[in-house]
Amino acid sequence: MPTVFDEKQFQAIEHAHGPMLVVAGAGTGKTTVLVQRIVRLIQSGHAAPDEILAVTYTDNAAKELKQRVLSETGSLGLWQTDCEFPLRASTFHAYCFGLLRRTSNDFEVVTKEDLYVYLRHRLSELPLKHFIRAASPAEFLSDLLKFFERCDDELVSVERYEQYVADLCGGRLPLPRVSRSKDAAALSTQEVIARCQEIAQVYRKVREMLAASGLGTFGQMISRAVSVLEAAPHILAEERRKARFLLIDEFQDSNPAQIRLARLLAGAEQNVFAVGDPDQAVYRFRGATNGVFDIFAHCFTGVKHVTLVENRRSLSPILRAAFDVINLNPPVGAGQTRQPLTSAREHVVARHKRALQAEPVNLVRVPLIEGAAVEAAAVTEAIRHAHSSCRGHEVRNASGEPEFRPCQWRDFAVLYRNHKHREALIRQLGAEGIPFAVRGASVLEVAEVRDVMAAFRVIANPSDGISLFRLAALRQFRIDGERLRNVLAAAPEAANLAKILEKVPGGKEVLARLNEATNLARMHNMRTAEVLKIALHVFSIPDSEAILALCRFVSEWHKKAITVTGSLVEFLEYLEFNAEAGGSVPALERDATDAVQLMTAHAAKGLEFAHVFIIRVRTGSFPASYREVLFEFPQVLRESALQWDDDPKQSYEQEERRLAYVAMTRACDTLALYGPRGRGREVDPPGLMRVLANQRSLAGVVRVRDAAPATGPAGVSKTDSKLSSWLAMPPRSSLEHMTLSATRIESYQRCPLRFKIENDWRIPEEPAPAMQYGNAVHTALKAYSDSLKQHRPLTREAFLQCFLDTYAALYFENELQAHLYRSQGLEQLGRFFDSEQTRPSTEVLASEHVFTLDVSGVRVRGRIDRVDRTPQGAIVLIDYKTGSPRDEDDADKSLQLSIYALAAQECWGKVPERIAFHNLTTNRLAETERDEKQLARERNNILDVAAGIRDGKFQANPGRNCRWCPYYSLCPETEENLHSVVTAVSPLQ
């Protein structure tokens, strides 16, 4: 073997029989150890290739492992090609699916996103009561499916979970948490059990539906394979013969079901060789367990341990800083001590008495204000400077041997926790002409793909005004934006955009193209793949890698087991539901591109780069904030015999540190972390950077500095499309004099650009189902309040009939949602009516009282749902809420309630005694009050918004609210460039 191995590596490679656990730290050559161990087993005669099963985490890793073993052993002359080589290397899932196929137990596999879509279409068939809401029928579906995935990972069958629920009913087990922690105390024992029973019923129903459709999940590959092996001794014996030596890579990411599978295959010989690093376990959300190394030691007898600590990738400052981050976590494994890694590269240089300049790890603080822009400029400048001064660096070739390579752009990587963190950096890199490529991103936000999707939506639904507006802004249509805006402003609120376009020069051409595309689509039965070709041709949308990715996605979608008709309507619904499930349309991966690599820390696992920059390193961003799962997985159902304290929040925080450790140890030569400055005296960014900056042992290892002022060109807009030019036009003069409302003020505060589109362009849009439902409920509530005011109160039946009469005139596209809203309205209004009968007597002064205020020259209009006067003469204001419940904190902060208080002061001459949200969902009041100081503050708030509108400040404010924005597909700020290296493509061939 040409490679020189250290003592620990040699021990692992030479190990022959019995179980061995190799803890291989980052960059310590675990893949080389796996390859050489297989080679040694074959060459020494301990095993034939067809008696070895190597299990890796990805298909690519399995392929690479097999190729490297073939290369090492090919000189024996027993085989010349991969096809002849009998060694089996695969993922756990691929092995199990092969086993199921060989034993006639296979099924069509659906991804978790496709399972969500499959069930989203069939929600009405699921026995849901507690876990369904009219406003968002599928709100709990993801949580339910995650729980069922966990059941597969822990080998908890439907029958076992049903027995667990029976034990709960008998009082033999403690109750689990089946709601958010803040709501758990309010649930009675009966309610908790009822929810568990519902989970059991849905679990069984989902399994029955999948079986009837011949479908199964990735988790079921493992659980069904385990069942086959346990039920058929002859099959198990044959599988053990072909897996006398089992090697498991990335063992830290194994789940309990996979460990049970390994135990079954190991048999009495227990020739199980597991390699992994507990400090790189970052896939707990995929079922991996934090106790996997303890489980291994518990499952197998006489386990030998080897720990690899010589890192062949990184220099010592990187390793020392990374160790101080990961050492915040407790050691993994009973009685184990975490060992710091040492730099083998530095050891080699020292043996040859040469100097190796190791740069300190840079901790770069950026300002809080405009921090993203400064951070992007600082990272871009650092990359540009390093590239121009870099002479090259040492890399490892396919055989793991070191070699020198000149510096390239792809030697630089920028890592982040969330894809949204890269946006400012992409603009800055593009402005400075530095090539970049984004890994693992979705193409749905790329401009030309948004154009295709707009065409799709209008072809499927001609009344979609927002999508038609985007098509009208394509450059080939000579529409004057200002002319279109003026016509839109003059049109009635319920106007149809197609009718408006007929009155605008160039608009008829848009409609003619749309008519042509629609007719051609109908000729092809609206088949999505054909409609895609038609849209690209008719609307002259240019080819690009993003379009090629979309074409491949559509082609693959047509082949999916859950695809029924292949129609455009079905595809659009699939995309909507797929997005709800967290799915995407992935971009193409081009590894050969010489460009700066941008990716999430998760995507970087297993990779290495000469120079690594990690951005947005602060608490809340990286590490990301903890989000509690809805359903607690009961300890008693865990597969492992070992029980450990598993505080979910602590486990999450530890995994975030492991993810940061993975990100840091991707760096070979230099590492820099960037984060926004702290507040007050704590100038270092809160979280990991502050820990490193304050660690005395790292003096000279880390260097803390502030980001230098940007010297290059400022980042430019992501797009120079006609659409962005339209939206950037100065607003109509009437906008600065418009009457404001609480809704409009809050809209401007959330996103000034959204406010501008809503009020300056006034693009027609269809009312949301929640708004229609809310109007029906408010109509009934007004009728009830009016009846009290007239001293002729409605009966319960008449009150509910008022709601039903209004509701009957509404149109809901989704029948299930329509049914849920109707039932919800009757239940909530009935409960409201009953509680009203026991309320203290008050006088109803007004219902849906419309008012207009003058706040220092700014007109503010609103409508108060109900105004009461108490027997003592005090004024009480009530605002009915049909959506998510608001609490007292919401009421205290509500601008809407403050404006109501100002109106009451003007209309009735006094500040109201109480103002309340009446939550119809819970039939509870969230009460607050206002004093003169608070009202003065709100007046200033109103004036600030009016000033922003007057001064033409309509910048986009991207963030969480974008998800619910109806104009998201129009927003230039949320459009993406996924690379700056253009490769010629022909997507339709």
Side-chain angles (χ1 to χ4, degrees):
M1 292 178 284
T3 305
V4 177
F5 303 110
D6 62 49
E7 180 185 351
K8 295 296 185 180
Q9 285 181 319
F10 194 73
Q11 287 180 21
I13 292 167
E14 289 294 308
H15 176 73
H17 297 279
M20 173 173 274
L21 184 59
V22 179
V23 177
T28 56
K30 67 176 181 62
T31 304
T32 298
V33 166
L34 278 170
V35 169
Q36 295 301 329
R37 170 166 162 72
I38 295 172
V39 171
R40 184 58 57 91
L41 286 172
I42 296 171
Q43 290 181 339
S44 63
H46 289 301
D50 60 0
E51 294 179 312
I52 299 173
L53 172 62
V55 181
T56 66
Y57 200 68
T58 67
D59 291 327
N60 285 339
K63 183 178 179 181
E64 179 190 351
L65 180 68
K66 190 171 181 179
Q67 287 177 340
R68 286 179 61 176
V69 174
L70 175 61
S71 176
E72 291 276 350
T73 59
S75 59
L76 296 178
L78 299 178
W79 41 80
Q80 300 298 322
T81 68
D82 185 33
C83 296
E84 299 171 347
F85 191 35
L87 172 72
R88 291 188 299 168
S90 69
T91 64
F92 266 118
H93 292 95
Y95 166 78
C96 289
F97 196 62
L99 171 63
L100 293 176
R101 180 166 290 170
R102 293 193 299 274
T103 56
S104 301
N105 287 282
D106 61 329
F107 46 77
E108 287 282 342
V109 182
V110 291
T111 65
K112 64 179 181 180
E113 293 85 8
D114 285 354
L115 176 59
Y116 179 96
V117 174
Y118 173 82
L119 295 174
R120 183 72 169 81
H121 281 292
R122 297 162 177 79
L123 273 180
S124 60
E125 300 176 38
L126 299 180
L128 292 168
K129 178 182 177 183
H130 300 88
F131 297 117
I132 193 167
R133 289 181 62 239
S136 180
E139 179 178 345
F140 303 104
L141 184 56
S142 287
D143 290 300
L144 285 164
L145 294 183
K146 285 176 185 175
F147 186 84
F148 300 156
E149 283 178 21
R150 184 70 186 272
C151 286
D152 270 326
D153 295 337
E154 298 281 353
L155 296 174
V156 176
S157 65
V158 171
E159 293 75 17
R160 187 178 173 200
Y161 187 76
E162 288 174 338
Q163 181 57 52
Y164 165 76
V165 176
D167 290 339
L168 288 178
C169 294
R172 295 183 290 276
L173 293 173
L175 295 176
R177 177 178 58 78
V178 287
S179 67
R180 304 296 178 200
S181 292
K182 63 184 180 66
D183 303 323
L187 295 179
S188 67
T189 298
Q190 290 72 25
E191 287 174 312
V192 171
I193 290 175
R195 292 187 177 206
C196 290
Q197 289 171 331
E198 184 168 312
I199 292 171
Q201 292 163 4
V202 175
Y203 189 15
R204 176 169 287 282
K205 183 63 176 179
V206 168
R207 284 291 190 262
E208 290 172 352
M209 291 167 72
L210 289 175
S213 301
L215 303 176
T217 66
F218 281 96
Q220 285 180 282
M221 286 184 187
I222 310 290
S223 59
R224 288 194 188 183
V226 168
S227 297
V228 167
L229 294 177
E230 290 181 334
H234 65 288
I235 296 176
L236 177 58
E238 176 62 16
E239 292 303 312
R240 281 177 174 172
R241 186 191 67 77
K242 294 186 294 185
R244 280 191 58 232
F245 289 85
L246 176 62
L247 297 91
I248 307 174
D249 192 12
E250 301 287 4
F251 184 67
Q252 74 278 355
D253 295 322
S254 300
N255 62 42
Q258 292 165 343
I259 297 169
R260 170 85 77 89
L261 179 67
R263 289 181 65 186
L264 285 169
L265 293 175
E269 290 190 78
Q270 296 193 7
N271 293 322
V272 183
F273 185 87
V275 183
D277 182 5
D279 288 333
Q280 295 187 73
V282 294
Y283 290 115
R284 201 161 191 264
F285 63 90
R286 293 182 182 173
T289 172
N290 60 351
V292 66
F293 284 77
D294 280 341
I295 296 174
F296 187 92
H298 179 82
C299 290
F300 301 103
T301 56
V303 177
K304 293 183 179 179
H305 293 81
V306 171
T307 301
L308 307 182
V309 295
E310 284 200 33
N311 178 285
R312 285 157 168 74
R313 175 188 303 150
S314 309
L315 299 179
S316 57
I318 297 167
L319 297 176
R320 288 182 60 186
F323 179 79
D324 274 30
V325 166
I326 197 60
N327 210 34
L328 296 172
N329 282 357
V332 178
Q336 299 294 313
T337 302
R338 180 179 288 108
Q339 298 184 42
L341 303 180
T342 59
S343 174
R345 290 173 58 193
E346 292 180 8
H347 294 167
V348 170
V349 169
R351 283 199 298 269
H352 290 82
K353 298 182 180 179
R354 297 199 311 268
L356 180 61
Q357 184 65 39
E359 289 287 323
V361 173
N362 280 297
L363 308 179
V364 186
R365 300 179 299 215
V366 298
L368 280 170
I369 300 175
E370 297 185 350
V374 176
E375 178 183 68
V379 172
T380 301
E381 173 60 23
I383 291 173
R384 188 178 62 78
H385 174 75
H387 182 268
S388 63
S389 60
C390 178
R391 296 180 180 178
H393 70 109
E394 185 182 275
V395 296
R396 283 175 287 176
N397 60 26
S399 299
E401 297 297 319
E403 61 182 32
F404 187 83
R405 189 181 73 192
C407 187
Q408 297 177 299
W409 287 115
R410 62 180 175 178
D411 295 328
F412 298 84
V414 182
L415 310 183
Y416 33 79
R417 181 64 178 84
N418 187 296
H419 276 299
K420 293 294 182 184
H421 297 165
R422 69 173 183 252
E423 292 173 350
L425 181 63
I426 284 176
R427 280 175 285 175
Q428 191 70 37
L429 290 169
E432 297 203 23
I434 295 177
F436 66 86
V438 180
R439 287 198 185 201
S442 173
V443 301
L444 284 175
E445 312 316 333
V446 176
E448 57 268 28
V449 174
R450 282 188 172 184
D451 293 338
V452 173
M453 298 312 300
F456 276 8
R457 293 188 181 102
V458 183
I459 290 171
N461 177 16
S463 65
D464 187 337
I466 292 173
S467 295
L468 181 55
F469 182 83
R470 184 175 182 97
L471 287 181
L474 291 175
R475 289 195 180 279
Q476 60 264 36
F477 301 124
R478 296 177 296 278
I479 294 178
D480 179 81
E482 191 163 356
R483 184 92 174 256
L484 174 60
R485 184 174 62 175
N486 290 336
V487 176
L488 279 168
E493 190 171 332
N496 182 284
L497 183 58
K499 297 291 185 184
I500 292 171
L501 282 173
E502 290 178 352
K503 305 173 184 178
V504 179
K508 289 184 178 179
E509 185 183 354
V510 178
L511 299 176
R513 294 279 190 93
L514 176 59
N515 188 54
E516 177 189 355
T518 303
N519 288 335
L520 288 171
R522 287 172 179 161
M523 288 173 58
H524 289 86
N525 297 317
M526 287 287 181
R527 185 170 172 80
T528 306
E530 299 304 321
V531 180
L532 175 55
K533 296 177 184 178
I534 292 165
L536 292 172
H537 172 70
V538 171
F539 293 102
S540 303
I541 298 170
D543 292 350
S544 69
E545 288 205 2
I547 292 295
L548 179 56
L550 177 63
C551 291
R552 289 191 179 179
F553 184 84
V554 169
S555 176
E556 291 168 1
W557 172 77
H558 273 288
K559 302 171 187 173
K560 286 181 179 289
I562 66 167
T563 301
V564 181
T565 66
S567 71
L568 181 60
V569 171
E570 184 185 7
F571 179 71
L572 289 172
E573 193 170 62
Y574 174 85
L575 278 186
E576 178 188 347
F577 295 163
N578 183 58
E580 287 180 10
S584 65
V585 178
L588 303 177
E589 299 288 352
R590 295 191 179 275
D591 293 333
T593 301
D594 186 23
V596 176
Q597 301 294 300
L598 279 59
M599 67 190 77
T600 64
H602 278 104
K605 191 169 185 289
L607 304 177
E608 61 181 48
F609 305 92
H611 311 283
V612 170
F613 304 81
I614 309 176
I615 60 174
R616 219 60 64 89
V617 183
R618 69 162 290 159
T619 300
S621 297
F622 195 174
S625 300
Y626 170 69
R627 292 185 183 180
E628 182 182 66
V629 295
L630 184 62
F631 309 122
E632 171 190 20
F633 193 83
Q635 181 77 264
V636 70
L637 290 178
R638 285 185 165 173
E639 158 68 9
S640 170
L642 298 177
Q643 303 290 309
W644 57 85
D645 185 25
D646 190 8
D647 179 271
K649 188 173 183 180
Q650 282 188 9
S651 295
Y652 178 83
E653 291 169 352
Q654 290 168 15
E655 179 146 337
E656 286 292 296
R657 291 190 199 109
R658 294 196 293 270
L659 185 59
Y661 176 76
V662 166
M664 294 172 74
T665 54
R666 299 310 93 196
C668 299
D669 297 343
T670 68
L671 172 65
L673 281 63
Y674 291 74
R677 292 170 63 93
R679 300 180 185 274
R681 295 182 180 180
E682 293 285 359
V683 295
D684 295 315
L688 300 177
M689 281 182 65
R690 185 173 293 175
V691 169
L692 293 173
N694 294 332
Q695 198 74 284
R696 291 184 179 180
S697 62
L698 294 180
V701 174
V702 300
R703 176 171 53 205
V704 183
R705 61 180 177 85
D706 291 317
T711 57
V716 295
S717 174
K718 293 184 178 180
T719 174
D720 60 353
S721 67
K722 192 163 75 169
L723 176 61
S724 66
S725 300
W726 282 6
L727 299 182
M729 290 190 312
R732 291 177 292 115
S733 58
S734 60
L735 198 63
E736 64 181 271
H737 304 296
M738 75 179 302
T739 300
L740 297 180
S741 65
T743 301
R744 284 175 170 171
I745 292 169
E746 288 171 343
S747 172
Y748 182 88
Q749 291 172 328
R750 278 194 302 269
C751 180
L753 181 59
R754 173 175 176 170
F755 173 90
K756 183 182 181 184
I757 297 173
E758 283 177 330
N759 299 286
D760 192 38
W761 284 91
R762 298 183 66 236
I763 303 169
E765 60 171 310
E766 297 176 350
M771 183 178 294
Q772 294 189 72
Y773 166 73
N775 289 339
V777 170
H778 276 79
T779 298
L781 291 169
K782 183 181 187 308
Y784 176 75
S785 297
D786 286 344
S787 73
L788 294 181
K789 184 179 177 183
Q790 296 162 7
H791 304 291
R792 290 182 296 179
L794 290 173
T795 64
R796 193 179 199 275
E797 291 72 20
F799 174 50
L800 296 180
Q801 190 61 47
C802 180
F803 165 74
L804 290 175
D805 291 343
T806 308
Y807 193 80
L810 302 179
Y811 170 73
F812 291 91
E813 187 175 349
N814 186 302
E815 291 184 11
L816 173 61
Q817 193 170 40
H819 170 74
L820 290 171
Y821 267 134
R822 184 181 186 278
S823 301
Q824 176 180 297
L826 291 173
E827 178 187 349
Q828 292 179 0
L829 290 175
R831 197 164 57 223
F832 165 83
F833 184 92
D834 295 340
S835 66
E836 280 284 297
Q837 310 314 302
T838 61
R839 279 188 63 194
S841 177
T842 58
E843 177 188 0
V844 178
L845 290 181
S847 63
E848 298 205 5
H849 174 74
V850 178
F851 62 85
T852 302
L853 296 173
D854 185 290
V855 181
S856 300
V858 178
R859 284 179 304 167
V860 181
R861 182 176 296 161
R863 183 175 59 193
I864 306 173
D865 288 342
R866 179 165 157 173
V867 183
D868 286 359
R869 181 160 52 202
T870 68
Q872 294 76 29
I875 299 296
V876 178
L877 309 180
I878 298 174
D879 183 67
Y880 295 113
K881 290 297 179 190
T882 57
S884 299
R886 310 286 182 90
D887 58 22
E888 283 71 15
D889 187 52
D890 295 322
D892 290 343
K893 296 174 181 177
S894 171
L895 171 69
Q896 181 183 30
L897 296 188
S898 295
I899 290 175
Y900 287 178
L902 289 170
Q905 194 175 33
E906 184 169 304
C907 296
W908 292 281
K910 59 175 73 176
V911 175
E913 180 182 271
R914 285 177 288 122
I915 325 167
F917 287 130
H918 188 136
N919 296 301
L920 293 168
T921 304
T922 59
N923 200 35
R924 290 184 57 204
L925 293 174
E927 296 183 327
T928 187
E929 56 187 31
R930 296 291 188 270
D931 56 30
E932 288 291 352
K933 186 176 180 181
Q934 291 171 310
L935 295 180
R937 197 161 51 238
E938 293 294 16
R939 289 189 186 94
N940 290 333
N941 193 10
I942 294 168
L943 294 176
D944 287 344
V945 169
I949 296 170
R950 184 177 60 250
D951 296 341
K953 296 179 178 178
F954 295 109
Q955 72 283 0
N957 182 28
R960 263 186 208 172
N961 290 319
C962 292
R963 180 180 172 186
W964 296 279
C965 179
Y967 308 106
Y968 182 77
S969 64
L970 302 181
C971 179
E973 189 65 26
T974 58
E975 285 186 353
E976 293 276 21
N977 292 320
L978 300 184
H979 54 77
S980 60
V981 181
V982 179
T983 305
V985 294
S986 181
L988 299 181
Q989 292 182 353

